Amino acid sequence: MKSAISSLVSSKHRSLNLHLNHSPFSNSISYSKTLSHKSTFIPVIPLNNNTSFSNRTLKLKIQATKSVSTMASSFKPEQARAPPAVPLPKPPVTKFKIALCQITVTTDKERNIAHARKMIEEAAAKGAKLVVLPEIWNSPYSNDSFPAYAEDIDAGGDASPSTAMLSEVARLLKITIVGGSVPERSGDRLYNTCCIFGSDGKLKAKHRKIHLFDIDIPGKITFMESKTLTAGETPTVVDTDVGRIGVGICYDIRFQELAMIYAARGAHLLCYPGAFNMTTGPLHWELLQRARAADNQLYVATCSPARDPSAGYIAWGHSTLVGPFGEVLATTEHDEDIVMAEIDYSMMELRRASLPTIKQRRGDLYQLVDIQRLNS
């Protein structure tokens, strides 16, 4: 080699240019690549036929005064959320058992309420501190049924026997309940509503389904919730005895922005009572759960009704718990079942430390705006 390095030139614009050209008539090789970082230099390395190669592999060692990783200082991850993301709060417990009650739903409302209570009691007897119920567990899933089975949750008592049961059993068993969803009547409007009860039996939060299930897949399934239901207006995050929970209902899981808002509000766990159907269930049910968990590095729990082939709307089933790496921790098939699993929040810290996407977001390029937090 006549000259290992013929020039070292400081780059005013802090870029590194290398060019790769391999002539078929000689061993003349030069590199080309552009790297932007804070301080580097341009090596020009002419090679001739006398240059020695090992397996015709060129070995270049370029030393820069600062690592390319210093680029990250301009990423501004703290600005990728507006307002800035809430630090993950310390949960009241690190480990606990969760139960997903995959219930068979009938046309008999009283039977549905009594059966749901029995399954909650069974789950608590097995050690569950958090119990999740399915979407629309006290009523058939149909636009004709929603008005007939709807309850005035705010009035409580006899006006809402489903939530009255949930409140009582949560207090007696000293457990937290994410109460699936029931049709709610509020004035002249109907909602698909999930109630969250604390271990003292008090209603801690109420989530009205934000994204209504209006789909039309020709030859497969057509359903328009908007014919009878009104969309909710508020994302729901609630602090409980088992951590901070973000709540969505079924179709809500398709919208990653909602899950990202929950993560930015410091949620440990996302709960989605749902009733995916026989068309979209096999395709997307598990996929969406794993995506929401992996994207946000937190736990995702879903609970479906059991499958009833004789029903007008047939649920896919497969209630599932997914971990913060997108791994399926526990699931079931389509029959009535109670899925028992353990949640260990220390795994969230481990996953976020080993794959620090929170610190790598490009706040200089994009931003998630939580409009309600911003306005408040």
Side-chain angles (χ1 to χ4, degrees):
M1 184 181 294
K2 292 181 180 180
S3 174
I5 300 180
S6 63
S7 64
L8 296 178
V9 183
S10 296
S11 173
K12 181 179 179 180
H13 299 289
R14 294 172 181 169
S15 66
L16 170 60
N17 295 312
L18 299 168
H19 214 26
L20 175 58
N21 292 309
H22 190 178
S23 168
F25 304 106
S26 73
N27 287 327
S28 174
I29 298 179
S30 57
Y31 253 72
S32 181
K33 190 172 182 180
T34 299
L35 291 173
S36 293
H37 55 82
K38 292 195 173 180
S39 178
T40 185
F41 56 84
I42 304 174
V44 180
I45 308 177
L47 305 175
N48 58 30
N49 290 331
N50 295 324
T51 304
S52 175
F53 289 84
S54 174
N55 296 325
R56 299 194 62 79
T57 300
L58 176 65
K59 298 180 180 179
L60 292 177
K61 293 184 178 180
I62 303 172
Q63 294 182 343
T65 56
K66 289 189 177 181
S67 169
V68 176
S69 64
T70 59
M71 293 170 62
S73 63
S74 65
F75 289 178
K76 301 179 181 178
E78 72 284 351
Q79 294 184 23
R81 301 289 182 269
V86 175
L88 191 68
K90 183 177 180 180
V93 293
T94 301
K95 294 182 181 181
F96 66 93
K97 287 185 178 181
I98 182 174
L100 313 173
C101 294
Q102 187 163 288
I103 299 171
T104 300
V105 179
T106 72
T107 58
D108 185 336
K109 184 176 181 180
E110 290 186 2
R111 183 267 179 197
N112 293 336
I113 294 173
H115 189 54
R117 178 171 187 144
K118 181 181 178 181
M119 292 193 74
I120 294 170
E121 291 172 342
E122 182 179 344
K126 293 179 179 179
K129 292 299 180 184
L130 171 64
V131 176
V132 185
L133 297 186
E135 179 185 26
I136 307 293
W137 57 267
N138 71 342
S139 158
Y141 187 88
S142 72
N143 280 313
D144 291 338
S145 297
F146 295 153
Y149 288 74
E151 301 181 0
D152 186 342
I153 294 172
D154 291 339
D158 292 340
S160 184
S162 299
T163 60
M165 179 276 289
L166 296 178
S167 173
E168 181 182 29
V169 75
R171 176 178 56 83
L172 292 175
L173 300 177
K174 294 181 171 53
I175 59 173
T176 300
I177 297 178
V178 174
S181 75
V182 299
E184 178 196 10
R185 184 180 300 281
S186 181
D188 60 352
R189 294 183 175 182
L190 295 177
Y191 297 93
N192 186 342
T193 302
C194 176
C195 292
I196 299 90
F197 290 93
S199 56
D200 56 2
K202 294 182 179 179
L203 179 64
K204 298 186 72 67
K206 185 170 70 173
H207 178 78
R208 289 169 170 167
K209 190 174 186 175
I210 294 174
H211 305 92
L212 295 182
F213 180 60
D214 286 3
I215 71 165
D216 182 14
I217 302 176
K220 296 292 184 178
I221 182 171
T222 299
F223 201 100
M224 299 290 167
E225 276 189 330
S226 60
K227 284 185 177 180
T228 55
L229 301 178
T230 300
E233 299 293 336
T234 307
T236 305
V237 176
V238 55
D239 287 313
T240 73
D241 290 345
V242 291
R244 184 168 294 178
I245 301 175
V247 182
I249 298 174
C250 200
Y251 204 53
D252 284 340
I253 199 174
R254 288 192 177 274
F255 299 89
Q256 65 268 40
E257 298 89 348
L258 182 62
M260 292 164 68
I261 285 174
Y262 288 160
R265 292 185 183 187
H268 301 99
L269 166 68
L270 306 185
C271 288
Y272 293 97
F276 268 50
N277 55 76
M278 297 298 292
T279 299
T280 60
L283 288 170
H284 299 150
W285 179 241
E286 181 182 303
L287 173 69
L288 290 167
Q289 297 171 59
R290 297 183 67 188
R292 299 295 85 85
D295 286 348
N296 299 289
Q297 297 178 309
L298 40 63
Y299 284 88
V300 170
T302 60
C303 189
S304 168
R307 189 180 305 171
D308 179 2
S310 66
Y313 181 95
I314 304 175
W316 170 241
H318 295 264
S319 302
T320 303
L321 177 68
V322 179
F325 231 34
E327 71 276 34
V328 174
L329 298 176
T331 189
T332 187
E333 296 294 328
H334 59 268
D335 293 328
E336 185 168 273
D337 197 4
I338 297 176
V339 180
M340 296 290 301
E342 182 177 75
I343 286 179
D344 182 356
Y345 287 141
S346 67
M347 294 304 297
M348 289 178 61
E349 300 172 4
L350 177 63
R351 299 310 187 194
R352 293 184 178 194
S354 60
L355 189 63
T357 56
I358 292 174
K359 299 177 182 178
Q360 297 167 336
R361 292 193 171 104
R362 293 295 301 272
D364 57 322
L365 299 179
Y366 52 75
Q367 187 178 66
L368 174 74
V369 179
D370 187 339
I371 293 174
Q372 288 188 335
R373 280 181 65 205
L374 195 66
N375 292 340
S376 65

